[in-house]
Each structure stands twice: as structure tokens, then as C-alpha cells.
Amino acid sequence: MASTTMRLHSNSTAVTKSVSRRSSISGFISYRSSSLFIRTSLIKDRSLKHNLNLRRSSAFSVKCVSDIEVKQKVKDQELQQEATTSPSSFAPDTTSIVSSIKYHAEFTPLFSPEKFELPQAFIATAQSVRDALIINWNATYDYYEKLNVKQAYYLSMEFLQGRALLNAIGNLELTGPYAEALSQLSYKLEDVAHQEPDAALGNGGLGRLASCFLDSLATLNYPAWGYGLRYKYGLFKQRITKDGQEEVAEDWLEMGNPWEIIRNDISYPVKFYGKVVSGSDGKKHWVGGEDIKAVAHDVPIPGYKTRSTINLRLWSTKAASEEFDLNAFNSGRHTEASEALANAEKICYILYPGDESIEGKTLRLKQQYTLCSASLQDIIARFERRSGTSVNWEDFPEKVAVQMNDTHPTLCIPELMRILIDIKGLSWKDAWNITQRTVAYTNHTVLPEALEKWSMDLMEKLLPRHVEIIEMIDEELIRTIIAEYGTADSDVLDKKLKEMRILENVVLPAEFADMLVKTKEAADISSEEVQISKEEGGEEEEEEEEEKGGGEKDNDGNEDEVEKAIAEKDGTNKSSIKDKKKELPEPVPVPPKLVRMANLCVVGGHAVNGVAEIHSEIVKDDVFNAFYKLWPEKFQNKTNGVTPRRWIRFCNPDLSKIITQWIGTEDWVLNTEKLAELRKFADDEDLQTQWREAKRNNKVKVAAFLKERTGYSVSPDSMFDIQVKRIHEYKRQLLNIFGIVYRYKKMKEMSAAERKENFVPRVCIFGGKAFATYVQAKRIVKFITDVGATVNHDPEIGDLLKVIFVPDYNVSVAEMLIPASELSQHISTAGMEASGTSNMKFAMNGCLQIGTLDGANVEIREEVGADNFFLFGAKAHEIVGLRKERAEGKFVPDPRFEEVKKFVRSGVFGSYNYDELIGSLEGNEGFGRADYFLVAKDFPSYLECQEEVDEAYRDQKKWTRMSILNTAGSSKFSSDRTIHEYAREIWNIEPVKLE
């Protein structure tokens, strides 16, 4: 496919004839560079057609250039010259922006033309901005094609982008001109931006990290693309009712997505089911089954202060038109007629569909394979096109880096093998070598349930060819394990195979099984010889004992006398005893055959990384210890980061201005290490005054937002204490709310004067979604809202304590809450959180943190200073011992913890029965009990740490200093730093900058 067919165009860049018409509104747009002149004459007439006259230089039709031709003929100087003649970044004045918005309202509407209200203003404005992104996207794409550089491809099931308008115009440095243009159209930029729904393409930190990475890749000029799925209904929209969380479908696409470009010319076949047959050529062929098409939707991702604009390619799914059974439909069998179409489309309906049923599991596996198959086909097509007439597959890893964001894209490994072997004709050895050099894996969890395991039976049914390939990879691994550990110690070898194999509960292939049987037989024979030797040496002693009349033995193995004695005792006879002995024991359940996706990732890739220093050590020492001992060179750490553009510069403009003023430059947005310069001003009273004013302004905004969203009024003079993240037992929202309940109970036991003396006023804010089928997490949401309903209506307490659950927490809500936060809670059980990224955002915005030594908390505390972090709780290395202590019944809960449980059970927070919730924190063993996440253990330490928080907050000068030092110490946690490390140490890619 020629590069020109890959361009993204909108209606506003179509070349049409210029026709003069009478109009009531006209405008003019002019964009210039050394090689580009775009002039748009906009003439609006409600009764006549309108036009856009645009001339674009033809200098950017780029022919495919093979790698060899580039190396031989293209000089760096020539390439640089061509880069400087590419289109410049979009830099219009206010008048041209107004005209562009009017044009889109007239010519590319997604709504009726009779009115121009806020929703329509947003869409027209976004389409106007998209024009600029397309210009830079084309220039970026053409430059990558011409250079044929190595490119990274980031595959993720989630991309939690948030709203795009303010981020895009901020990166393009057009915030001022767009604000002025919309003002001329009688709108405020902020009001227009609020019309944009959050893209429902993710749920938590996994997706937010992926979006931060794309921002940094574009900003740092790295050649890279993202690949994901275009979910029509997202995860779900969360509503909070009297019954707790309620889930409804997201509606983010109902008004259309003005940022995406539908690429109907780019689609790939994806197959499910069918069977594998061997052809006459000796190749395997996957035939029959169900065929769908994955269609590309492109979303341009702009960098900050750079022309580089990369791409997020999202796949939607559909069936071919011929799959619609017209005869069945005309016969009235409407559901049957469209069954194939519905089966294809539903693949991209929901993020993480419930997998309690076999249908849900099947759908999830279809999603993962669709992402992998479509993306790899696209990557390979681009590689072949860039290679020109001579494709050298050995060069594939030198041009392509594939990063699997967690285990969801694991099927990339067998899919790449399938394409290379079955379609491209490579040998197993060559394909395996290429695959391992191309693919890398990021691990995001130590939780066993998150290390995906798929039913082998399901996978054999849905992806038969891939199971064959996985079995062969498993055999390769077995050979490696045997070569490493030998066969002398069969117990060690057996343990390693059970621990490391990709296939769980699957018998060894015959050649290996026979080998192990022989090894064990030899070991048994050796053991028997030793025993015989011992017995022969002891015969004389036994004879001596018999002569002395001691140690009677029944050496003939006859059980008759024993059976007779038993029969006499219980009244049974000998024959009945034998009948009972013949009864078969209860059958032992056959464990299911499973495919361990994480093990496949480790085996099939060349790099495995954790996402925080402590997490990466746990990965090496525990999660994948056997693999680490085998391949230590594969394992790395890449501490997560967040983009300082979205998470300080754009979401917290008041603080950003203060930082720039005191540092003396805005370079910190790109070079966050400059934030450290704030340290020398931390005690300056003028800075502290400005800092507090900025924080309070943000709190006032949040107070208004909470009133609108929840109906509760809060005081901006209270401490804003925030915990926002996915609702999960290991994240311990339960510890937080139990602490609040204890606080409330103590308040109720005091006089008004005592309450005011002993407690700092707090607004405790929660946000996050509980997965729809995670019952215990949904109970936690219900409990938080019940506590809030009681506390917030208690006139004795007033503004001393408020408890707010913000419904439908997303990126846009985070962008409001985080700048206003003063204390944030990152209180997961030590060793359970891989990294966390919200903790980094809070630190950047001058928020103090209370937390355990878990995930990135460890590094944040090191960077901001131990005195500026409120630490509590057990350490990661203590957790196993503490759980053992609990199992042995040795743990004694703190009286304050028992007091809280009793208070909750008294019914003070309503009639809901919380026995199941509280019961999870009781007992010493059993599923859903025994306080696996150690809430009770850490509760006393948590309460004492909260007392330290209150004491520190009373001294506002001290608190402000600590806040400034948190921002000053957050420079390490920029995703720019993380991406540089990935590029240098895993992907081996270099920046490619368009000047």
C-alpha cells in the first residue's frame, strides 16, 4: 500500500473548486511554511452549497524506499532538508480559528445545522484542531516511511486517554488563540471542553499509563504507535444509588468521536474455531471456522512543542456483508440472519466482559486475539511495504519492537509464529528467533488471579493452530529446563517443570515422560539397593531380639489375624471386611488443563520488566524466580511515570504559573528535573502564600463540583483527603473507611469543644469502580456511601467530617480532584501493588501522601524525603509471616479495630447487613476470610499515622513546605524518563525529530 493511501484526510483538506457565493458569514484561514500554503475561503450561505479552497504542495507524495536504498543513497543531510520542507505545525491566528470552527459547523456536522449550542461547538472545535493534527501526522508518517526507522508498537487492552481537546491545543500551543476564538463565538473554552466525554477505552492505571506513554513518545519524537480496541460501551458508567454501585453502558460514542479517522481501507481478517490440516506442501493450514474483519480507527496523538504526531490505532470488528443471511431474514428468521454480524460486532462492545460464564470467557479470549492478530498483520504489512521488493525477515526485529502491556496481548507470540511459519514460509527455528527478539513483556501485578491462565480446552476450540504452536514452545522450554538442571535429581527436575511449564496439568510429551520414568526407576533401584543393604546388616540384630523373646513381628504380611480382631470387635465377618476393602475411594477431581500466559510471555520475549523497583525485585525473587535464575539478563525494572503536561501543566494552571515564576523558565514541562529547584524556595513565605492560594482555588472548584455531582456541600477550608483508584480489597479502601468510622465514633463521644480541639476538619473523598462481578468490592462501595449518608447529615459533626463517594470516577474527574488534594491515600498491603501512578500525579501537584512501603511509594518517599511522607504498616518481607501467624491463630486484633466492627454491626449506618464484609476480616483461614490483606494488622499503625497527619496540618507553614518539597521531588516520575529507558534498554529505538 503506497504511503499516500495511508494519509489521514478530513473534509476540510479536500481539494475543491473555489466558487464565490453570496453569504452572511465569511472567513479566511492561512497556514504557511516553506513548502506549504493552505488558504481556505469560507463562504456560508444557508440556501447554497459552500466550498473550501485548499492548495497543498505535492512535495509530500513519498515513494516506498527499501532499507538498502536508504542506506546506500539517502544522506542524513538530505533527509534533514526534506524534514524541514514538511508541513509546519498548525499556527493560525484567532480569526482563522473562528472561520475553521464555523466551517466544520457547516460542512462536517455530526448534528443538525439549525443550532450551534455547546455540544455542537465542541465537535466543530475538535474537528478544527484535528485538521492541525492531521497535517503534522502526515508529515510524521511520511518521514518515518522515508527513513525506514525502527519503530515501537505498544499493544494494550486499555488506553485511558481522558478528554483530548485541552491536551491537544495545549501541546500545539494554541490554548490562547482557541480561547479567544470561542469567546468571539460567545463561548468559554472551559465550557466547550467540558462537553467532551471521556473516551471509554480503559479502566485504571494500566490504561492511563499507556496513554501517558503515547504522550511521551510523541513529545520525545520516538517513532511509535499504539494499538488497542475501540470499545463501544467501555467498561461501564457507574451510578451510585441507595443500593450501592449500579452499572450502565457508556455512551461516549453516541455523538460520534471527532478525533478518530475511520480507515475502511485498512482491515484484516481474523479467524476463530475451524481446524488445522496439513497441505501437500507440508505446511499447516488453519481452515473453516468463523471469520470476521478488524477495521482500523486512527486517533492522532500530538507531542508537546513538537511537530511529531504519532498514532493510536483502534480496531473495531464486523462481519463481511455476505455473512448476512438474506434468505433467513426474508423468511422471518431475523435473529438467525444477523447472527454472524452480531457475533463479530460484540467483540468490541465491552471492556473486560464478565467471565463467569463460558460465553464470557470466550468473548474475552476473542478480544485478546483480535487485538494481537489485527495489530501484527498491520505491523507486518508496514514492514513489508517499507522493505520494498526484497523482504529480509531476519531484519524484522531490527525494524520492529512489540511491547505487550501486561498479559492480555500474550497471543502476539503464537500469532507471530503462525504468520511467519504458515504464511511467510519460515522455519520454526528462524521464526522463534525472530519472535523472541521482537517481543517484550511488562508485568503489572503480583496477584495470582491477574496472571492470566486460559482453559486449554477453550483455546483448542477457539484457536486450534495456536495451541499447536504453544505446545511446541512448551516443548522447547522443557528441553531448556532439562539441559539446565539435568536428570540426576528427578525431584528437582519435576519441581522445575511444574513451576515453569507454559502448560499446567498437561502430561509431558512422550519423549520427556519416558526420560523421567527411566530416571525415577534408576533412582528407585538405587534406593532399594540401599534399603536391602541396611536390612541385611540388621538381620543379626533381629534374630537376637527373637531369641530373647522380644519385638514380635508379623513378617509374612498376612492380614487375617488383624481382620479377625476387627471383625470380633465390631461384629462383622471377614468376608464383609474384604467387601469393604473392594469399595472404590471417592474419585479425585481431574485438575483443568491451563495455558499460563505470563509464563508464555517470559519464554517468548527478550525482556521482562516490572514497573517499580520493589515490584521488579518481587518479580525476580518470587513471581518468576525460576525464570530469573535461568535468564537473569531478561529481567529489568522500568518505574512507571506520568506525563507532566496533562498532570500539572494543563490540569493545574495556577500551580504551573507559580512553578514557572519561581524556577524562571517553563522548561520544567519537558525537563522535570528542573522542579528540584523549588527546594531552595521551600521556606520562602511569598512562595508559600501563593502555593496555598493556588491550592485553595482548586479546592473551591472541587467543592462546587461535588455539590453538583453528589448534592453534598463541603468546606474548602477543610483538609481534602482523597483515595481514588479501582475498588479492590488489596488497595484497602476498607482500611480507610474503617479509620473514618473510628474517627466519627470518637467525635460522637466528645463535646463540641473537644471535637474542635482534637480533630482537623476533613473532607474524605473516594472514587473508583468495582468490577461488576466483584461482590466484595461492591460491598465496600455500598459501605462507604452508607457511612457518608450518616456522617454528612449529622448536625453535631457539621464540617468537621464529610465522606463523599464521587460516582463514575474517570480521568476528567481526576484532573479536577488531584490539583485540589492535600492528603492522598496509597495504602495497599505491602508487596501487592505493582507501582501505582496516581501517587505520582498527587506528588507532582504538591499533595502529601499517607501510605505503605509498596509499589512506587517506596521511590516517591526516597525522592521527596521521608519527613514529607506519612508512612505506616507492615513491610513487604513481613507479609508471609504475618499471614502464617494469622493461620496459626496467634493474631490478636487491636481493641480499636474490634470497637469499629461492633459499631458498624450496631446498625448506626443503616439496616444493610455487613456481616459478609466484616466477616472477611475475621477467622484464621478459609476463602474470603482471615483478613488476607491485613487490614486489622495495619489498623493501629494507620490510626497513629493519621494523628501525625492532623498534627502536621495544624501547622500550615510546615504543611505548605512539605507540599512544595513533594512537587520538587517528583521529577523522577515523568513518563518521559520511563520512555527514554524503554527506548534505550528494551526497544533500541532512536528519536526522529521533524524540525
Side-chain angles (χ1 to χ4, degrees):
M1 189 184 302
S3 63
T4 52
T5 67
M6 295 288 290
R7 295 181 183 278
L8 297 98
H9 293 291
S10 75
N11 291 336
S12 63
T13 55
V15 179
T16 63
K17 294 182 179 179
S18 179
V19 181
S20 178
R21 301 291 188 195
R22 70 179 172 81
S23 66
S24 58
I25 301 175
S26 64
F28 180 79
I29 301 177
S30 178
Y31 319 136
R32 289 181 178 271
S33 75
S34 58
S35 64
L36 175 68
F37 176 74
I38 302 176
R39 175 166 295 178
T40 306
S41 181
L42 297 172
I43 306 173
K44 180 176 180 183
D45 190 317
R46 294 193 182 280
S47 61
L48 298 173
K49 290 184 178 180
H50 316 283
N51 72 75
L52 168 65
N53 184 38
L54 178 148
R55 288 186 290 133
R56 183 173 181 178
S57 169
S58 60
F60 313 113
S61 295
V62 182
K63 294 182 178 180
C64 294
V65 182
S66 72
D67 188 31
I68 296 174
E69 290 172 323
V70 169
K71 290 178 180 178
Q72 291 179 344
K73 300 179 181 179
V74 180
K75 297 179 181 179
D76 290 342
Q77 187 175 4
E78 293 171 347
L79 290 171
Q80 186 63 40
Q81 177 61 33
E82 293 198 17
T84 60
T85 60
S86 296
S88 68
S89 60
F90 180 63
D93 57 19
T94 300
T95 302
S96 61
I97 291 175
V98 170
S99 297
S100 177
I101 293 172
K102 288 179 178 178
Y103 168 79
H104 283 290
E106 190 73 17
F107 285 91
T108 56
L110 298 177
F111 44 84
S112 58
E114 291 84 11
K115 53 188 177 181
F116 189 70
E117 298 176 347
L118 272 173
Q120 291 84 354
F122 158 66
I123 289 176
T125 301
Q127 289 171 326
S128 168
V129 177
R130 192 186 70 172
D131 291 347
L133 300 184
I134 290 172
I135 292 170
N136 286 341
W137 192 98
N138 281 332
T140 305
Y141 176 85
D142 287 348
Y143 196 38
Y144 291 172
E145 288 287 291
K146 178 162 291 201
L147 284 175
N148 192 18
V149 292
K150 183 175 185 179
Q151 189 160 325
Y153 299 95
Y154 199 81
L155 272 64
S156 178
M157 287 295 285
E158 298 185 44
F159 286 92
L160 197 57
Q161 294 176 283
R163 293 169 175 160
L165 178 58
L166 293 181
N167 191 74
I169 62 176
N171 278 359
L172 290 168
E173 300 180 88
L174 292 175
T175 303
Y178 265 91
E180 177 60 28
L182 286 168
S183 176
Q184 292 185 22
L185 294 170
S186 302
Y187 287 115
K188 292 181 179 179
L189 173 59
E190 185 176 352
D191 293 338
V192 171
H194 284 170
Q195 298 302 305
E196 181 176 6
D198 277 40
L201 299 172
N203 175 39
L206 185 81
R208 186 55 240 162
L209 178 76
S211 292
C212 283
F213 279 4
L214 292 186
D215 177 271
S216 287
L217 284 164
T219 297
L220 301 175
N221 304 295
Y222 282 111
W225 275 24
Y227 281 104
L229 297 181
R230 181 181 179 268
Y231 304 106
K232 186 174 182 179
Y233 301 115
L235 183 72
F236 59 81
K237 183 178 288 187
Q238 182 193 52
R239 292 177 180 167
I240 300 298
T241 70
K242 62 181 178 61
D243 297 318
Q245 173 179 292
E246 179 183 307
E247 305 92 22
V248 295
E250 281 275 9
D251 59 357
W252 75 288
L253 286 173
E254 286 193 0
M255 289 291 290
N257 181 5
W259 302 106
E260 70 182 9
I261 299 93
I262 303 173
R263 307 301 305 278
N264 289 314
D265 60 323
I266 300 177
S267 66
Y268 297 97
V270 179
K271 181 184 289 294
F272 306 109
Y273 304 109
K275 61 182 180 179
V276 180
V277 298
S278 297
S280 58
D281 55 0
K283 290 184 180 180
K284 293 292 185 74
H285 299 275
W286 183 14
V287 299
E290 174 186 310
D291 296 298
I292 67 164
K293 290 201 298 184
V295 181
H297 294 65
D298 287 343
V299 180
I301 307 294
Y304 178 69
K305 289 190 175 184
T306 178
R307 291 165 52 207
S308 293
T309 301
I310 63 173
N311 192 37
L312 170 58
R313 177 157 285 177
L314 302 172
W315 302 106
S316 67
T317 47
K318 67 178 185 179
S321 300
E322 56 265 25
E323 295 293 332
F324 180 72
D325 191 337
L326 193 59
N327 290 330
F329 190 86
N330 288 331
S331 299
R333 305 193 309 276
H334 299 158
T335 302
E336 177 187 335
S338 59
E339 183 178 7
L341 279 65
N343 284 338
E345 290 175 0
K346 72 182 180 183
I347 290 172
C348 290
Y349 274 175
I350 299 292
L351 169 65
Y352 304 139
D355 60 354
E356 298 298 310
S357 65
I358 186 63
E359 292 82 6
K361 289 181 173 64
T362 302
L363 189 56
R364 277 209 191 188
L365 192 55
K366 279 187 171 183
Q367 286 184 333
Q368 294 186 5
Y369 179 61
T370 298
L371 169 65
C372 296
S373 180
S375 301
L376 280 173
Q377 289 182 71
D378 194 43
I379 292 166
I380 287 171
R382 299 180 72 210
F383 169 75
E384 291 179 317
R385 184 178 64 253
R386 289 182 178 186
S387 297
T389 55
S390 57
V391 177
N392 183 358
W393 288 105
E394 184 63 25
D395 289 340
F396 189 77
E398 305 303 320
K399 297 297 181 182
V400 171
V402 173
Q403 188 70 35
M404 301 181 296
N405 192 27
D406 215 2
T407 53
H408 308 123
T410 304
L411 289 169
C412 280
I413 294 168
E415 175 66 358
L416 182 54
M417 292 289 290
R418 182 189 72 85
I419 293 172
L420 293 176
I421 295 170
D422 297 353
I423 299 175
K424 304 304 176 182
L426 273 67
S427 68
W428 172 272
K429 180 181 178 181
D430 290 341
W432 185 232
N433 177 268
I434 290 167
T435 298
Q436 285 188 304
R437 290 164 55 206
T438 300
V439 176
Y441 162 52
T442 298
N443 172 272
H444 283 278
T445 185
V446 300
L447 295 175
E449 65 267 26
L451 293 172
E452 286 188 305
K453 296 181 181 182
W454 282 104
S455 162
M456 192 169 176
D457 291 339
L458 171 60
M459 193 174 284
E460 279 182 315
K461 183 179 179 183
L462 192 69
L463 304 169
R465 179 56 177 145
H466 296 77
V467 170
E468 290 185 349
I469 292 170
I470 291 170
E471 287 174 334
M472 294 175 72
I473 296 173
D474 189 54
E475 289 182 19
E476 291 273 351
L477 176 61
I478 292 169
R479 290 188 185 92
T480 302
I481 294 170
I482 291 173
E484 177 70 17
Y485 294 100
T487 58
D489 192 330
S490 60
D491 290 336
V492 169
L493 182 57
D494 190 54
K495 179 186 175 186
K496 291 296 179 184
L497 289 171
K498 287 180 178 177
E499 181 181 3
M500 300 175 69
R501 284 189 65 191
I502 296 163
L503 303 179
E504 183 176 332
N505 302 323
V506 176
V507 297
L508 284 166
E511 62 173 300
F512 304 113
D514 292 343
M515 180 190 304
L516 287 179
V517 167
K518 291 176 182 178
T519 301
K520 288 184 177 180
E521 286 176 349
D524 291 343
I525 291 170
S526 176
S527 177
E528 287 175 6
E529 289 174 349
V530 171
Q531 184 63 31
I532 290 170
S533 175
K534 287 182 178 179
E535 290 175 355
E536 288 175 347
E539 283 179 357
E540 291 181 6
E541 293 179 7
E542 289 181 7
E543 289 172 359
E544 289 176 5
E545 287 293 325
E546 288 175 3
E547 287 174 1
K548 292 176 182 179
E552 292 183 4
K553 298 180 182 292
D554 183 10
N555 291 324
D556 62 2
N558 194 323
E559 297 178 340
D560 284 351
E561 292 302 317
V562 177
E563 291 173 0
K564 181 179 178 182
I566 295 172
E568 290 174 352
K569 184 175 182 180
D570 65 8
T572 58
N573 58 39
K574 179 178 174 182
S575 61
S576 66
I577 291 289
K578 290 189 175 180
D579 288 341
K580 286 183 179 181
K581 289 171 64 69
K582 291 178 182 177
E583 290 180 5
L584 295 175
E586 287 290 326
V588 178
V590 178
K593 297 178 181 180
L594 301 171
V595 181
R596 297 192 277 201
M597 306 304 270
N599 289 24
L600 179 55
C601 286
V602 176
V603 174
H606 65 91
V608 179
N609 71 277
V611 289
E613 287 179 1
I614 186 173
H615 171 235
S616 295
E617 290 305 309
I618 292 171
V619 165
K620 292 189 294 186
D621 296 342
D622 184 14
V623 182
F624 298 124
N625 180 252
F627 290 106
Y628 173 65
K629 289 178 178 178
L630 186 60
W631 299 307
E633 70 283 354
K634 280 192 179 187
F635 289 81
Q636 302 184 17
N637 174 61
K638 297 288 173 283
T639 297
N640 283 343
V642 299
T643 166
R645 270 74 64 184
R646 183 181 287 269
W647 293 110
I648 312 183
R649 178 65 182 84
F650 302 146
C651 77
N652 200 345
D654 289 350
L655 185 65
S656 297
K657 290 175 185 176
I658 293 169
I659 293 171
T660 299
Q661 174 190 339
W662 284 84
I663 290 178
T665 176
E666 202 179 43
D667 289 350
W668 61 268
V669 181
L670 284 170
N671 303 297
T672 53
E673 62 271 11
K674 292 184 180 292
L675 290 173
E677 295 181 25
L678 287 170
R679 288 194 175 105
K680 60 188 177 186
F681 306 115
D683 292 306
D684 191 288
E685 291 187 5
D686 290 339
L687 173 58
Q688 290 192 0
T689 299
Q690 293 177 22
W691 202 269
R692 284 192 292 270
E693 287 176 356
K695 183 66 71 174
R696 195 180 191 284
N697 289 341
N698 289 323
K699 291 168 68 177
V700 168
K701 292 177 185 176
V702 167
F705 165 76
L706 294 178
K707 176 67 175 176
E708 176 189 351
R709 185 66 70 91
T710 70
Y712 290 126
S713 297
V714 302
S715 170
D717 295 319
S718 301
M719 178 202 296
F720 277 26
D721 173 352
I722 299 179
Q723 186 181 19
V724 283
K725 52 186 75 232
R726 182 167 49 93
I727 309 296
H728 197 292
E729 289 172 278
Y730 90 83
K731 294 179 184 287
R732 298 202 296 190
Q733 286 90 353
L734 202 51
L735 175 60
N736 185 353
I737 193 63
F738 266 43
I740 292 169
V741 169
Y742 181 79
R743 189 182 188 90
Y744 175 63
K745 185 175 185 295
K746 295 295 112 179
M747 284 182 174
K748 294 293 287 182
E749 294 169 356
M750 296 178 181
S751 67
E754 288 173 326
R755 283 194 288 269
K756 189 173 181 181
E757 175 69 22
N758 285 280
F759 293 101
V760 166
R762 285 206 199 194
V763 178
C764 301
I765 301 171
F766 293 84
K769 295 178 180 179
F771 191 68
T773 58
Y774 190 176
V775 176
Q776 192 73 330
K778 295 177 78 169
R779 288 191 186 114
I780 293 171
V781 174
K782 167 68 174 164
F783 182 47
I784 293 169
T785 57
D786 281 353
V787 172
T790 300
V791 172
N792 299 343
H793 292 103
D794 191 329
E796 291 184 351
I797 301 303
D799 286 336
L800 266 181
L801 183 62
K802 297 290 185 184
V803 180
I804 312 290
F805 192 99
V806 182
D808 205 38
Y809 176 71
N810 57 21
V811 175
S812 295
V813 174
E815 289 175 323
M816 183 170 289
L817 293 181
I818 289 173
S821 62
E822 292 173 289
L823 179 74
S824 63
Q825 306 219 19
H826 306 277
I827 56 178
S828 52
T829 311
M832 304 300 288
E833 182 74 84
S835 168
T837 53
S838 68
N839 45 8
M840 302 171 183
K841 299 163 194 169
F842 282 107
M844 282 183 174
N845 284 272
C847 177
L848 277 62
Q849 300 184 39
I850 180 170
T852 54
L853 284 179
D854 194 29
N857 286 1
V858 177
E859 292 161 79
I860 290 173
R861 184 169 177 265
E862 290 173 354
E863 296 295 320
V864 305
D867 292 340
N868 304 305
F869 187 103
F870 297 102
L871 177 67
F872 76 96
K875 310 300 189 293
H877 69 273
E878 300 171 338
I879 301 303
V880 173
L882 291 171
R883 287 184 178 140
K884 182 181 179 183
E885 176 189 71
R886 184 75 182 233
E888 293 172 350
K890 297 178 181 177
F891 173 70
V892 179
D894 188 274
R896 291 169 290 183
F897 189 73
E898 296 302 293
E899 186 180 343
V900 169
K901 291 194 304 180
K902 183 178 179 181
F903 189 55
V904 173
R905 282 179 164 139
S906 72
V908 67
F909 300 116
S911 60
Y912 187 85
N913 187 340
Y914 282 108
D915 284 346
E916 290 290 337
L917 180 67
I918 297 174
S920 70
L921 307 174
E922 298 175 329
N924 295 319
E925 59 183 355
F927 179 77
R929 293 181 64 81
D931 193 13
Y932 184 76
F933 299 105
L934 304 180
V935 174
K937 176 64 182 179
D938 280 351
F939 190 69
S941 175
Y942 178 71
L943 292 183
E944 290 152 14
C945 196
Q946 286 286 14
E947 290 176 3
E948 295 176 20
V949 171
D950 275 7
E951 187 64 29
Y953 194 75
R954 289 188 180 96
D955 184 347
Q956 278 294 292
K957 183 175 182 180
K958 175 184 177 182
W959 186 275
T960 305
R961 182 180 188 276
M962 294 168 73
S963 174
I964 293 168
L965 291 174
N966 264 264
T967 299
S970 65
S971 63
K972 174 181 178 179
F973 305 105
S974 167
S975 52
D976 294 352
R977 184 265 314 152
T978 314
I979 286 300
H980 277 312
E981 292 178 3
Y982 272 101
R984 181 175 61 250
E985 298 165 18
I986 295 181
W987 303 333
N988 192 28
I989 60 174
E990 298 289 340
V992 178
K993 187 173 183 180
L994 284 76
E995 298 296 339

